[in-house]
Amino acid sequence: MNKSVAYQLGVFVVLLIALNFFFHLHISIIGSLLLTLGLSFVMNMIQSRS
């Protein structure tokens, strides 16, 4: 597995756990999909700058 993909997956999992722990949000399938797309967009913007 690519190191970048593993890093992005780790950030995504930590973000889901943090949202569930701090805000007691139970992320639905659609919410998870939107969060995945948003996080992917942000990660691509960060990687394109460096």
Side-chain angles (χ1 to χ4, degrees), residues 16-31:
L16 283 179
I17 291 170
L19 284 173
N20 193 16
F21 182 75
F22 290 112
F23 301 110
H24 302 289
L25 295 175
H26 298 287
I27 308 298
S28 66
I29 294 173
I30 295 172

